[in-house]
Amino acid sequence: MLTFTLRRLLLAIPTLLAISLVIFLLVDLAPGSPMSEIPLTVPPDVRQRMIEALGADQPVIVRYVLWLRQFFWVEPATLFDGWFGTTWAEGEQRILSWQSRSPVFTIIGQRLPQTLTVIGTAYLVGILIALPIGIYSAYRQYSLFDQGGTLFAMIGFSVPTFFSGTLFIIIFAVWLGWFPTKYDTQLVVNDWDSFIKQIQQMALPVMTLGLANAAAISRYMRSSMLDNMGMDYVRTARAKGLSERTVVLKHVLRNSLIPVVTVIALGIPAIFGGAIITENLFGVNGIGAALIGAIHANDIPMVQTLAFIFAVLIVLFNLIADVLYGLLDPRIRYD
Amino acid sequence: MPDRAVPVLDVKGLKTVFRTRGGEIHAVNDVSFHLGKGELLGVVGESGSGKSVSMMSLIGLLPSPPADVRGGSVMLNGRDLLKISEDELRSVRGAKVGFVFQDPMTSLNPVFTLGNQIMEPLIKHMKMPKKAAEARAIELLELVGIPDAKNRLSAYPHQFSGGMRQRVMIAIALACDPDVLIADEPTTALDVTIQAQILELVKELRQKLGMAIIWITHDLGVIAGIADRVMVMYGGQVVEQAPVRELFANPQHPYTRALLKTIPAISGPREARLKVIEGQPPIMTAAPTACPFRDRCEYRFDTCDRVNPPRRAVDGAPVGQGHDVACHWSAPALAALSEVAHA
Ligand SMILES: Nc1ncnc2c1ncn2[C@@H]1O[C@H](COP(=O)(O)OP(=O)(O)OP(=O)(O)O)[C@@H](O)[C@H]1O
Ligand code: SF4
Ligand SMILES: [Mg+2]
């Protein structure tokens, strides 16, 4: 397992380099200029100097190599310096956002917590709702509960978040007044009251996204359970006189979870990517909102960096999913 | 020899119906048999004759729906298994009645260790603490002839061959010292040498432990070597039942006779050695009102189409005790006709 993981990690390096080049070129070649936001009253020579100051006049390949160096050396070194007070990255140029002129990673550092709390919680809530629904639906296939679960999943699948989110706002914020309509990014949780406030303002975005997540995962869980329910080993477990509880929650569930855990792991990078629509709808100032803002402003370094981080996470969680599979299923041996 | 007169298991009028979208399937119709202490009852019949369904009906192993055990009684040591609660039935399954299935490759849970799976019934039924269960599991693995048992407890099923897995299945079935072991074609999925080894093992275990065994098989050759008594099934019914020697020497039912001819002879070209019975077994969409074998029977006559033949004694002993058959033809006439037919 260890050599497998190491081999896969090594293999990920050329993969990621190729992906980074593609991302860099794609974003770079897209039409639009970082200067389009600068008013036309700015004289051309000033405009030229501004472009030079950003490094935007360099040929694309130079900028690519520079960016690679910044991404893989300068930024980690800066982070390291921040932790241990060393000076590895002193005097080095960090990746700067063209829009705000501040380091891209500083912005990400500000935005990520919002995204992780809201979207991460939604994912967790989605899983916690989905697993019992999927398990019980499969155990009582075609029952009223199962049909209710199917309806729930269908709604979760087919209703877009901008609709369900708006609906939740109307019902729970406007009519019932239980939760605020907007997410307050400035809120600091330091006592019980602010904690309650935080929970309240998270409720609607978490419900919106949790519904969508739960729909997909509950279906996976259900079909995986059904696949296993008819297996011979289940009959063996019953023939041993084990209770239905043990048969289903031990024998069937343990097997059914293997593919579901993999799917859940593969879905985690999407949390970091944020949920653009939901973040916008509730005013959660997270990564999704940052990405949209950067795209609008032609903030090429920001878009490139975010897209590449996303690629790294996908590759990483693919590996994690494979490793988990190997750990959960004794039949899989990678070495 | 144990006292065979006291039945451990006494089944009367068992009826099992599957309710499917296409209507009902009467898989088991009025099956009655008994099993003496330490006795080995062979159950033969071709695919679809209702062997597995009858035996699984006994201990509530069929998923319901679609299965519906409609009637009869299953007395195990004086208690009717069809009348007790699901909870009580669970305390019988795996404790008093052990079950070994056909396919050892899929019958064990792939994600749990063998030790875990053997210990389950011990912990559940005998309330053994983990340490004791472990010791017993090792003992059981040794009993079924698995070497280095202590270290095998932590092995997973995929690390074992088919024959070894079937030994483990037998160990699980025997874990709580059951009164009855039901083996549903336990050797069909194995190759011939492994089959022989498993047969030897069961014979030996029977000597040692003295439990009663129901052995389901397609193979009359196997039955001849190990059974005390044989029950032949067709179309969800018992068509003939007799002590093993008697059945081979004096088969009564046309189906039994045909089956006996399908036993491969030792000599002769392979094709000729294996005779097959012409035709398909019936799918019973309703309770039978005529002989289920009539479409394939060479002795069929008008009564066969009107009346489902009841079991009747051949040798004077009460039905179920000695040799009985469910056929309208009387034996001498049948024998005579058969001689004419084969002259
Ligand atoms: N789940 C089910 N739904 C509907 N019908 C079934 C089901 N299981 C079994 N049957 C029917 O019951 C009949 C008897 O099946 P059974 O499995 O007992 O046969 P068998 O004698 O054990 O055959 P084999 O030698 O192939 O194991 C079959 O004809 C089949 O049509
Ligand atoms: S009852 Fe009739 S059809 Fe059935 S086996 Fe006997 S002779 Fe053949
Ligand atoms: Mg069968």
Side-chain angles (χ1 to χ4, degrees):
Chain A
M1 188 66 83
L2 192 68
T3 46
F4 165 80
T5 312
L6 288 177
R7 204 172 59 228
R8 280 282 300 269
L9 277 173
L10 282 180
L11 258 170
I13 293 172
T15 314
L16 283 172
L17 279 178
I19 293 175
S20 73
L21 183 63
V22 171
I23 288 176
F24 202 89
L25 291 179
L26 267 181
V27 175
D28 206 86
L29 295 176
S33 148
M35 293 304 113
S36 49
E37 302 274 294
I38 301 175
L40 286 174
T41 48
V42 173
D45 57 321
V46 177
R47 177 182 287 263
Q48 186 55 37
R49 259 182 287 135
M50 287 173 78
I51 292 179
E52 276 165 25
L54 288 172
D57 60 331
Q58 302 285 331
V60 66
I61 196 69
V62 174
R63 277 186 286 125
Y64 173 61
V65 175
L66 208 68
W67 176 83
L68 273 187
R69 194 183 116 75
Q70 288 172 327
F71 191 96
F72 286 106
W73 166 245
V74 181
E75 292 298 342
T78 310
L79 187 70
F80 194 82
D81 290 351
W83 284 344
F84 302 103
T86 48
T87 53
W88 292 93
E90 207 169 63
E92 295 276 10
Q93 176 65 59
R94 299 182 63 186
I95 306 175
L96 289 188
S97 155
W98 284 354
Q99 192 182 6
S100 66
R101 313 295 320 265
S102 51
V104 164
F105 275 91
T106 310
I107 301 173
I108 294 176
Q110 289 160 356
R111 301 297 188 88
L112 197 58
Q114 329 279 355
T115 293
L116 285 189
T117 23
V118 177
I119 319 259
T121 309
Y123 200 57
L124 214 66
V125 167
I127 294 169
L128 290 180
I129 295 175
L131 296 189
I133 291 183
I135 293 167
Y136 198 73
S137 291
Y139 179 55
R140 289 259 174 264
Q141 195 188 6
Y142 304 132
S143 67
L144 220 62
F145 182 92
D146 183 27
Q147 291 177 1
T150 306
L151 186 71
F152 167 82
M154 238 161 64
I155 293 172
F157 262 134
S158 50
V159 176
T161 47
F162 65 79
F163 182 83
S164 55
T166 314
L167 193 71
F168 287 156
I169 288 180
I170 292 175
I171 297 176
F172 296 104
V174 179
W175 290 352
L176 298 173
W178 291 353
F179 309 118
T181 53
K182 276 278 172 223
Y183 187 90
D184 175 12
T185 353
Q186 306 302 322
L187 182 78
V188 184
V189 179
N190 50 15
D191 55 11
W192 181 248
D193 282 350
S194 57
F195 178 72
I196 295 292
K197 264 220 166 69
Q198 172 69 10
I199 297 290
Q200 280 178 333
Q201 69 171 351
M202 274 170 64
L204 291 183
V206 165
M207 260 163 74
T208 309
L209 278 174
L211 176 70
N213 288 330
I217 296 170
S218 72
R219 289 280 102 176
Y220 268 118
M221 190 70 237
R222 177 180 181 270
S223 69
S224 183
M225 288 287 288
L226 285 177
D227 283 348
N228 279 287
M229 210 75 102
M231 300 292 252
D232 285 351
Y233 70 78
V234 179
R235 194 178 53 188
T236 306
R238 293 210 166 98
K240 285 180 190 173
L242 303 177
S243 65
E244 273 305 289
R245 204 190 151 77
T246 316
V247 172
V248 174
L249 293 184
K250 179 180 171 188
H251 287 268
V252 181
L253 184 61
R254 180 63 173 66
N255 281 276
S256 312
L257 272 180
I258 297 170
V260 176
V261 165
T262 311
V263 165
I264 290 176
L266 289 177
I268 290 179
I271 301 176
F272 290 86
I276 294 172
I277 291 169
T278 312
E279 285 191 359
N280 257 311
L281 191 63
F282 293 96
V284 179
N285 209 7
I287 294 281
L291 182 62
I292 279 291
I295 290 171
H296 279 314
N298 269 307
D299 187 350
I300 292 179
M302 185 80 190
V303 177
Q304 282 163 338
T305 307
L306 281 176
F308 185 59
I309 290 177
F310 202 49
V312 172
L313 288 170
I314 289 176
V315 170
L316 186 70
F317 276 92
N318 261 294
L319 173 61
I320 290 177
D322 281 352
V323 171
L324 275 177
Y325 210 112
L327 290 176
L328 291 175
D329 190 339
R331 285 165 297 184
I332 309 277
R333 279 289 163 266
Y334 293 118
D335 301 329
Chain B
M1 275 275 129
D3 181 9
R4 301 252 162 97
V6 186
V8 198
L9 184 70
D10 197 359
V11 178
K12 288 214 167 70
L14 189 68
K15 248 175 156 356
T16 303
V17 175
F18 287 100
R19 272 184 290 217
T20 66
R21 257 170 226 199
E24 293 190 333
I25 292 175
H26 291 245
V28 176
N29 289 300
D30 199 11
V31 163
S32 303
F33 65 93
H34 66 91
L35 189 64
K37 251 196 187 126
E39 190 179 29
L40 198 151
L41 174 69
V43 180
V44 285
E46 66 199 320
S47 206
S49 56
K51 306 181 297 291
S52 303
V53 173
S54 340
M55 296 314 154
M56 293 207 265
S57 302
L58 300 184
I59 51 170
L61 255 191
L62 291 170
S64 172
D68 178 14
V69 181
R70 283 228 173 128
S73 64
V74 177
M75 305 299 289
L76 180 76
N77 288 326
R79 191 153 60 134
D80 189 347
L81 299 187
L82 298 185
K83 297 238 155 55
I84 62 180
S85 71
E86 181 56 32
D87 257 353
E88 285 175 288
L89 197 54
R90 262 197 287 273
S91 69
V92 170
R93 283 204 293 260
K96 304 271 174 261
V97 181
F99 220 109
V100 177
F101 298 98
Q102 175 170 346
D103 192 350
M105 302 314 269
T106 55
S107 290
L108 290 163
N109 194 327
V111 304
F112 293 109
T113 60
L114 296 175
N116 183 319
Q117 298 186 58
I118 300 172
M119 279 148 65
E120 259 180 341
L122 297 170
I123 292 168
K124 155 100 200 195
H125 298 296
M126 306 180 78
K127 310 273 178 271
M128 279 192 189
K130 194 152 183 281
K131 270 266 162 294
E134 229 171 77
R136 170 78 175 142
I138 294 171
E139 199 182 295
L140 283 162
L141 283 181
E142 276 163 0
L143 186 71
V144 297
I146 289 178
D148 192 20
K150 201 168 159 63
N151 294 316
R152 299 304 183 90
L153 287 185
S154 55
Y156 287 94
H158 72 274
Q159 295 165 315
F160 272 40
S161 68
M164 294 284 259
R165 288 191 213 183
Q166 199 60 300
R167 284 171 192 263
V168 173
M169 282 297 293
I170 293 174
I172 292 174
L174 294 180
C176 302
D177 258 324
D179 298 323
V180 179
L181 175 72
I182 302 177
D184 189 352
E185 305 190 39
T187 59
T188 309
L190 305 172
D191 63 51
V192 184
T193 40
I194 309 294
Q195 256 184 46
Q197 288 172 11
I198 297 284
L199 272 174
E200 269 320 302
L201 173 70
V202 171
K203 277 192 211 169
E204 187 193 313
L205 289 175
R206 205 183 143 210
Q207 288 285 320
K208 252 189 226 168
L209 308 174
M211 70 280 182
I213 300 178
I214 298 175
W215 189 282
I216 302 178
T217 177
H218 287 126
D219 191 344
L220 271 171
V222 168
I223 289 292
I226 112 173
D228 299 316
R229 216 151 37 86
V230 188
M231 183 165 99
V232 182
M233 290 191 67
Y234 189 86
Q237 318 192 149
V238 179
V239 293
E240 186 160 7
Q241 190 271 132
V244 67
R245 287 231 179 81
E246 166 73 11
L247 188 94
F248 278 87
N250 188 19
Q252 296 291 306
H253 199 280
Y255 177 63
T256 315
R257 293 171 164 237
L259 264 186
L260 284 172
K261 283 189 205 129
T262 63
I263 298 181
I266 315 281
S267 56
R270 189 165 173 87
E271 273 73 11
R273 273 191 275 148
L274 214 140
K275 287 200 187 123
V276 287
I277 310 174
E278 298 273 319
Q280 289 294 314
I283 291 172
M284 318 292 293
T285 50
T289 54
C291 174
F293 191 58
R294 68 187 188 286
D295 288 340
R296 297 163 79 183
C297 180
E298 48 185 318
Y299 308 110
R300 169 183 180 177
F301 65 115
D302 54 351
T303 317
C304 309
D305 298 338
R306 280 184 285 108
V307 185
N308 186 12
R311 282 164 76 179
R312 63 179 166 77
V314 173
D315 54 2
V319 168
Q321 303 299 321
H323 186 174
D324 61 73
V325 65
C327 173
H328 291 305
W329 275 103
S330 60
L334 187 63
L337 238 157
S338 128
E339 262 147 42
V340 174
H342 292 98

